[in-house]
Amino acid sequence: MHTSRWTTTVVYACLLGATVVGCRSREKAFRATRVPVTRFDSVLKSADSGFALKAPHDTMTMTDILAWAHAEQARKAQVDAAAVAAERARRDSVKQLLEPLLAVTVVKKSYLPRNPDSEQYEDYISLAFAYQNKGTKAIRAFQGDATFLDTFGDSIYSAHLKVDLPLVPGQTRREPARIVRVNPFRVAHQRLRDTPLDKMKLVWESTDVVFADGGRLSLTP
């Protein structure tokens, strides 16, 4: 934060001034000295704080500068907090609109062990998904997060899926199987491989839907 860096610089300057003069009266005089605020932009250099443009006066005492800098820092913190809250509210609103649009299911899961005779030198897991448009508008493409849960609701495996598969309202379509290359050292891959499909629950969260009419709902700003 630029204001925070500037405040630190000024505090160091005050402490240095107090050390040089060696007495409190000289420090008070230093703090009361009016200085051109344009000097601080040159001191900060690459910080690009725009201090001179933001300052309320062309010249200010060191005490006024410190007080104003702390007030600016507090104001900036409030602005940032408001922006975060607004973005959280926007995402919550979009999530509510996205949630009922699609139903995603896994219709088949299979394990494909390595087979050098067929020039397959690694183990794979095959997952076939089906997608249903449960909304009232035609969908051109979408993406989202698929999470597999075990009987206790703990995550087994998760993946982000991008699907370029047009769906009219009410339509269900199945895409070609997706292949997961098994890393034998990843516990998630081991659990996905070993857990029967009927023992897993798929939780789908849409993050971006593009409609056929050009409209779009996205969690990304």
Side-chain angles (χ1 to χ4, degrees), residues 32-40 51-52 55-62 64-65:
T33 302
R34 299 190 71 84
V35 295
V37 296
T38 54
R39 291 184 183 178
F40 287 92
F51 177 80
H57 305 290
D58 292 336
T59 63
M60 299 171 65
T61 67
M62 297 301 297
D64 290 341
I65 289 172

Side-chain angles (χ1 to χ4, degrees), residues 78-174:
Q78 289 180 342
V79 171
D80 291 345
V84 170
E87 174 59 17
R88 185 183 299 113
R90 185 197 69 83
R91 287 177 62 88
D92 289 343
S93 177
V94 173
K95 279 184 178 182
Q96 290 181 0
L97 295 174
L98 286 171
E99 184 176 359
L101 294 182
L102 288 157
V104 179
T105 55
V106 179
V107 294
K108 185 178 180 181
K109 180 178 81 77
S110 56
Y111 173 59
L112 308 174
R114 67 189 65 189
N115 185 355
D117 293 339
S118 301
E119 297 185 351
Q120 179 186 322
Y121 301 102
E122 296 181 276
D123 298 338
Y124 294 95
I125 298 171
S126 172
L127 297 169
F129 292 88
Y131 310 98
Q132 180 185 12
N133 182 349
K134 299 182 66 177
T136 59
K137 298 176 62 176
I139 294 174
R140 189 179 72 186
F142 56 94
Q143 59 183 314
D145 298 317
T147 302
F148 294 90
L149 306 178
D150 62 16
T151 305
F152 300 98
D154 295 326
S155 177
I156 295 175
Y157 179 79
S158 61
H160 186 81
L161 306 182
K162 290 186 176 181
V163 184
D164 190 0
L165 194 69
L167 295 168
V168 298
Q171 183 181 17
T172 298
R173 293 186 63 180
R174 175 175 170 174

Side-chain angles (χ1 to χ4, degrees), residues 12-24 26-27 30-31:
Y12 286 162
C14 291
L15 292 176
L16 179 59
T19 301
V20 171
V21 297
C23 68
R24 184 167 298 179
R26 292 291 180 86
E27 180 184 351
F30 174 73
R31 287 177 173 269

